[in-house]
Amino acid sequence: MLNIVLFGPPGVGKGTQAALMVQHYGFKHLSTGDMLRNEIKNETPLGKEVKQLIESGFLVSDGIVIALIKEQIAAYKDAKGFIFDGFPRTTVQAESLDKMLEAQGTKIHVMITLDVAQEIIIERLQKRAVIEGRSDDADLEIIRNRFENYEKQTKPVMAYYSAQGKYHIAKCSDTPESTFAVVEKIIASHV
Ligand code: AMP
């Protein structure tokens, strides 16, 4: 089993790289953003609770996303590996993830941070807003809010994995495939 934290600011391309990793390695993709959007779409009580926060670009509480991830880890315990996308976003979540995996006799093996210039990200987010109809991608003020939360609440997660010797950076290049070549090299050094 190989467990990967796919990390980086909103719009950096985590979903695209995760899809390539699923195709290539057959790992299970766990995106808390997708799970939450699904709850909103299905108008569940949880969906109703988080809708406003997500649409304004704030993080939902640690307890909510930890519970979602815990359920998925248990449901797919025979997976070849997990790709954690958009989780953990706080050090509390990272600590909790370590405990959950330890209880299943496994761990995070590698963290891959995707890195790309902020101007390119903003352009991409605004394109995605049109294609996917994501209101949190459409408004510049909400995008700024998400970046600010990333800097304040999420970036410390890098130091958390760095202290464990698991931090890797993949500088994104022109195409998803050429970025994936970098990701593949990092993974190859862990299998
Ligand atoms: P994403 O698709 O990963 O960009 O997530 C979309 C939104 O869902 C974020 O802006 C947050 O509001 C919420 N969200 C997703 N994952 C988390 C998380 N791990 N912790 C807190 N909020 C999250």
Side-chain angles (χ1 to χ4, degrees):
M1 191 172 201
L2 191 82
N3 299 315
I4 300 164
V5 170
L6 193 54
F7 196 79
V12 74
K14 298 190 290 294
T16 305
Q17 291 303 313
L20 290 168
M21 285 155 89
V22 169
Q23 253 177 39
H24 202 86
Y25 300 103
F27 296 146
K28 176 73 187 158
H29 177 207
L30 297 181
S31 154
T32 41
D34 286 349
M35 292 174 208
L36 292 165
R37 278 186 291 277
N38 215 26
E39 297 284 334
I40 294 174
K41 199 176 92 201
N42 294 329
E43 298 181 347
T44 65
L46 175 60
K48 286 180 187 152
E49 189 184 331
V50 298
K51 188 172 191 289
Q52 188 61 42
L53 279 174
I54 292 184
E55 288 180 354
S56 318
F58 292 102
L59 295 188
V60 310
S61 74
D62 289 332
I64 288 177
V65 283
I66 288 168
L68 288 172
I69 286 288
K70 195 171 187 174
E71 203 181 286
Q72 294 291 307
I73 289 178
Y76 294 94
K77 61 179 184 314
D78 296 327
K80 285 166 80 177
F82 290 115
I83 305 159
F84 295 96
D85 162 5
F87 181 94
R89 259 178 160 100
T90 64
T91 46
V92 170
Q93 293 175 22
E95 283 161 6
S96 178
L97 181 60
D98 274 352
K99 287 198 192 109
M100 288 188 255
L101 293 173
E102 202 185 321
Q104 305 261 8
T106 185
K107 61 175 184 175
I108 290 297
H109 296 84
V110 57
M111 183 237 212
I112 304 175
T113 296
L114 300 177
D115 185 41
V116 75
Q118 206 179 87
E119 312 84 74
I120 297 178
I121 292 185
I122 292 178
E123 230 174 77
R124 276 193 201 161
L125 283 173
Q126 290 181 318
K127 271 190 203 146
R128 186 166 77 180
V130 177
I131 297 167
E132 295 179 13
R134 277 184 61 169
S135 56
D136 62 339
D137 285 342
D139 187 310
L140 255 187
E141 199 169 320
I142 296 171
I143 294 176
R144 282 208 193 93
N145 208 0
R146 286 161 70 203
F147 278 124
E148 211 179 294
N149 290 333
Y150 176 76
E151 290 293 324
K152 278 196 211 138
Q153 294 171 274
T154 304
K155 261 200 172 162
V157 173
M158 276 190 199
Y160 180 87
Y161 288 109
S162 182
Q164 295 186 356
K166 295 175 184 169
Y167 171 84
H168 294 266
I169 189 154
K171 294 242 179 240
C172 298
S173 30
D174 311 343
T175 65
E177 289 73 21
S178 51
T179 302
F180 186 61
V182 181
V183 168
E184 262 187 299
K185 274 199 192 124
I186 298 172
I187 295 176
S189 63
H190 285 83
V191 287

